[in-house]
Amino acid sequence: GAVVSQHPSWVICKSGTSVKIECRSLDFQATTMFWYRQFPKQSLMLMATSNEGSKATYEQGVEKDKFLINHASLTLSTLTVTSAHPEDSSFYICSATSGLVAETQYFGPGTRLLVL
Amino acid sequence: AQSVTQLDSHVSVSEGTPVLLRCNYSSSYSPSLFWYVQHPNKGLQLLLKYTSAATLVKGINGFEAEFKKSETSFHLTKPSAHMSDAAEYFCVVRPLSGNTPLVFGKGTRLSVIA
């Protein structure tokens, strides 16, 4: 099946620094990628939808200037958490789809971010 | 609009007994429905999906789910639980369109007792 990777798998950073998380589709072209955030023992919350070559669409309440999303190619999307604070600590998961009707979304393994 | 309700936040079963995780959906379109499993500190793995073909869907690891339009349900079942089945399970809905976001249920934590 299709494989989606994320890098890094976990990261610890100081408050005020920026962190970049990569999401790659390894064996298919992902026209659309989604970024989710998951708090402990909670469900996934959609942050934004990213289409290759265009600006991401952010969900209500998600700060686009804080969570910068770039989808420059059909196999790579990046999420940059700018000026991270402890409340940004979370599990970030991406998913990717080739966009065909009823196509399955494939999820990355997630990136755990801890901001000190 | 689409929504998913997972009726139980936590289900506990004994090893070797049947598993039933309940899910009801609401959709203004004919939906695609999925069950995903998440083990602790891991990403999501697709168990099975329904996309308007057979209403009884078989997935991996012995799981299956039945789409019942009259009941707007998509319950997940397994005849015999294994210890390795202990995880968080998410019922997910998406309209029958390629690039629309998934809508997640709140999840059901399955515990398996030896």
Side-chain angles (χ1 to χ4, degrees), chain A residues 4 10 22-23 30-31 33-34 37 46 48-50 63 84 92 95 98 109:
Chain A
V4 175
W10 62 276
E22 292 185 348
C23 177
T31 52
M33 288 185 171
F34 303 91
R37 183 174 182 177
L46 179 67
T49 301
S50 168
E63 298 176 60
Y92 293 88
S95 71
S98 66

Side-chain angles (χ1 to χ4, degrees), chain B residues 26-98:
Chain B
S26 173
S27 176
S28 51
Y29 303 94
S30 181
S32 293
L33 292 158
F34 308 78
W35 275 98
Y36 284 87
V37 61
Q38 185 181 34
H39 289 91
N41 298 311
K42 300 288 186 183
L44 278 77
Q45 181 182 20
L46 178 67
L47 278 179
L48 49 82
K49 62 180 179 179
Y50 166 77
T51 55
S52 76
T55 56
L56 181 62
V57 183
K58 293 187 184 298
I60 61 172
N61 301 335
F63 285 94
E64 62 182 38
E66 186 172 8
F67 173 73
K68 291 186 176 180
K69 187 175 182 179
S70 60
E71 299 177 10
T72 61
S73 69
F74 190 58
H75 301 333
L76 181 70
T77 60
K78 182 174 180 177
S80 176
H82 294 161
M83 296 298 290
S84 59
D85 294 328
E88 190 83 18
Y89 290 79
F90 294 99
C91 183
V92 180
V93 65
R94 189 194 71 196
L96 204 61
S97 172

Side-chain angles (χ1 to χ4, degrees), chain A residues 31-32 34 36 38 42-44 46 49 51 59 91 93 97-105 107-110 112, chain B residues 32 34 36 38 41-46 49 51 88 90 94 96-107:
Chain A
T31 52
T32 303
F34 303 91
Y36 297 85
Q38 185 180 31
Q42 293 190 28
S43 188
L44 279 71
L46 179 67
T49 301
N51 290 301
E59 295 299 299
F91 195 47
I93 302 175
T97 177
S98 66
L100 298 174
V101 173
E103 182 59 65
T104 301
Q105 288 186 20
F107 284 82
R112 186 161 300 283
Chain B
S32 293
F34 308 78
Y36 284 87
Q38 185 181 34
N41 298 311
K42 300 288 186 183
L44 278 77
Q45 181 182 20
L46 178 67
K49 62 180 179 179
T51 55
E88 190 83 18
F90 294 99
R94 189 194 71 196
L96 204 61
S97 172
N99 292 346
T100 49
L102 299 178
V103 176
F104 280 77
K106 292 185 181 292

Side-chain angles (χ1 to χ4, degrees), chain A residues 31-107:
Chain A
T31 52
T32 303
M33 288 185 171
F34 303 91
W35 286 95
Y36 297 85
R37 183 174 182 177
Q38 185 180 31
F39 291 102
K41 297 186 179 182
Q42 293 190 28
S43 188
L44 279 71
M45 182 187 73
L46 179 67
M47 298 175 67
T49 301
S50 168
N51 290 301
E52 186 266 337
S54 60
K55 291 184 178 180
T57 302
Y58 289 81
E59 295 299 299
Q60 193 172 9
V62 178
E63 298 176 60
K64 60 180 67 177
D65 294 331
K66 181 163 188 64
F67 298 100
L68 300 178
I69 291 172
N70 182 277
H71 191 167
S73 78
L74 285 170
T75 58
L76 173 64
S77 176
T78 59
L79 167 67
T80 301
V81 183
T82 62
S83 187
H85 288 101
E87 57 265 29
D88 299 325
S89 299
S90 192
F91 195 47
Y92 293 88
I93 302 175
C94 73
S95 71
T97 177
S98 66
L100 298 174
V101 173
E103 182 59 65
T104 301
Q105 288 186 20
Y106 298 95
F107 284 82

